[in-house]
């Protein structure tokens, strides 16, 4: 049976947002590729951001991502600092040179924010246009940033879909396969990569090791990062101070376990790194990228696990996230934060349960518990920045994931609601949710506070 690739969920990227920074940069880079292959002698470029991208794009650096992508910036490989540098250069030069041709483009003038158009093909829609000297369109492309840095449109390969005649990939089907074949979810995920995504076992583990290095570096950088995060909230980074305080007063942390305390600090460290525009791994998105590394790092240290065990945890997490993205959504603009931190918690709970030798039924239960208790979670980022509530929410998601794994391990895995049903509920709740709570910064915390900003 076909399942999505774990690497469609776990991808290197830059903060602060997978749908609003990473996706737009990839779309712009693709449009540049189109220009490279076109016969256009030059012209004037214009980009229109619509829906949630127009409403929270400034705080999520969408304009900088689009400008940098049009200049060829690769958000998956280039140094994150390059984003701002390229943007500033472009603002000074007002043009993009490409294969001996010149395209006029001033990001402040030519990136248009259109929050009013309704009936969009997706809440995160981008329209790229090349205009001639008279302002008539010569070339147009529409891109949709559908969550987790995944983009539809242009020459970007379409998102993988269930092969013709195949049933939708469910965790129940995976569970049945594992029980019949006496294997675990990590093994099934590995076989799926080989059978359907053309990756050998060695390639899969090499890529997972690379992702783990980025994830742990993100936490470590976050633990020493100081100063203010970008944006008008002037939010001060706290992870380093929290970590120092924890180390100085270890005995005071008896109220909660050492693991829960560290999960909180590590998740905040990674989420602050993301908010600062640092290098992260989407899990499943940038805004929720602190949950998984925080918990995996604790399990690795606490139980002295080898890197291979962490990679198996990543396989399980990516597998569960792939099903949630395929059958539900991981886009805050589509379903609110239940699709971001909620799915991150489900992925992480499943990984933790697997790494602690839970059965496949317990792994499924852990994922379900974590997702179920995030249903209805809104996305209402203050000032449109991925900071409040996002940073602390990663900590809450990491703790919830540990708790869900614990609950599943304490049980025999028997439960009445399946993970697949929780994913269906996620989608249904997301559809019913007012757009005010779907990454538009038009409701909830976003309109209430804080004072004086
Ligand atoms: S509230 Fe959740 S979904 Fe919204 S930007 Fe923050 S992390 Fe992403």
């Amino acid at each position: 049976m076909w399942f999505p690739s774990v690497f469609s969920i776990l991808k290197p990227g830059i903060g602060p947002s997978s749908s609003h920074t990473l996706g737009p940069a990839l779309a712009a880079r693709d449009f540049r590729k189109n220009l490279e292959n076109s016969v256009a002698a030059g012209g004037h470029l214009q980009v229109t951001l619509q829906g949630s991208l127009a409403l929270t794009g400034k705080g999520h650096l969408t304009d900088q991502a689009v400008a940098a992508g049009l200049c060829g910036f690769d958000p998956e490989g280039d140094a994150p600092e390059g984003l701002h540098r390229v943007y500033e250069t472009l603002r000074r030069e007002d043009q993009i040179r490409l294969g001996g041709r010149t395209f006029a483009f001033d990001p402040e003038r030519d990136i248009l924010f259109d929050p009013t158009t309704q009936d969009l093909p997706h809440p995160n829609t981008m329209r790229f246009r090349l205009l001639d000297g008279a302002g008539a369109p010569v070339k147009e492309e529409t891109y949709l940033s559908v969550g987790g840095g995944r983009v539809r449109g242009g020459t970007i390969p379409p998102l993988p879909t269930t092969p013709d005649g195949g049933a939708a990939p469910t965790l129940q089907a995976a569970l049945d396969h594992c029980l019949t074949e006496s294997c675990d979810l990590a093994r099934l995920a590995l076989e799926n990569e080989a059978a359907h995504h053309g990756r050998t076992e060695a390639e899969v583990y090499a890529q997972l090791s690379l992702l783990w290095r980025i994830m742990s570096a993100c936490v470590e950088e976050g633990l020493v990062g100081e100063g203010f995060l970008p944006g008008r909230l002037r939010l001060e980074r706290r992870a380093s101070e929290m970590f120092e305080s924890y180390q100085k007063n270890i005995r005071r942390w008896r109220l909660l376990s050492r693991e829960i305390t560290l999960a909180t600090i590590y998740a905040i460290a990674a989420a602050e790194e993301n908010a600062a525009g640092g290098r992260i791994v989407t899990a499943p998105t940038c805004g929720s990228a602190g949950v998984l590394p925080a918990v995996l790092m604790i399990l690795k240290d606490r139980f002295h696990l080898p890197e291979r065990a962490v990679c198996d945890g990543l396989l399980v997490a990516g597998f569960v996230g792939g099903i949630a993205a395929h059958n539900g959504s991981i886009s805050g603009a589509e379903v609110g934060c239940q699709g971001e931190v909620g799915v991150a918690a489900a992925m992480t709970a499943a990984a933790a349960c697997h790494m602690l030798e839970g059965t496949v039924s317990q792994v499924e239960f852990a994922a379900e518990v974590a997702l179920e208790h995030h249903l209805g979670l809104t996305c209402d980022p203050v000032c449109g920045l991925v900071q409040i509530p996002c940073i602390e929410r990663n900590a809450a998601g990491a703790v919830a994931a540990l708790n869900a794994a614990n609950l599943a391990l304490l049980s025999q895995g028997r439960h009445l609601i399946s993970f697949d049903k929780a994913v269906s509920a996620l989608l249904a709740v997301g559809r019913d949710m007012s757009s005010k709570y779907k990454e538009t910064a038009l409701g909830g915390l976003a309109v209430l506070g804080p004072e004086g900003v």
Side-chain angles (χ1 to χ4, degrees), residues 60 285 287-288 332 336-337 340-341 378-381 386 389-390 393-394 439:
H60 288 48
T285 62
S288 57
C337 200
E340 296 206 14
V341 170
T378 56
C379 169
D380 49 358
V386 192
C390 321
R393 189 163 288 172
N394 274 263
E439 216 164 352

Side-chain angles (χ1 to χ4, degrees), residues 16 128 135 218 234 262 285 372 413 419 424 432:
F128 287 73
C218 175
R234 291 204 34 87
L262 282 176
T285 62
E372 179 181 291
F419 175 76
S424 301
D432 288 343

Side-chain angles (χ1 to χ4, degrees), residues 18-53:
S18 40
S19 54
H20 288 52
T21 321
L22 186 53
L26 292 170
R29 218 171 118 80
D30 185 75
F31 192 70
R32 176 188 168 94
K33 209 160 44 159
N34 278 347
L35 291 179
E36 267 168 5
N37 299 331
S38 80
V39 292
H44 176 187
L45 296 172
Q46 201 175 63
V47 183
T48 306
L49 304 174
Q50 297 178 301
S52 166
L53 292 177

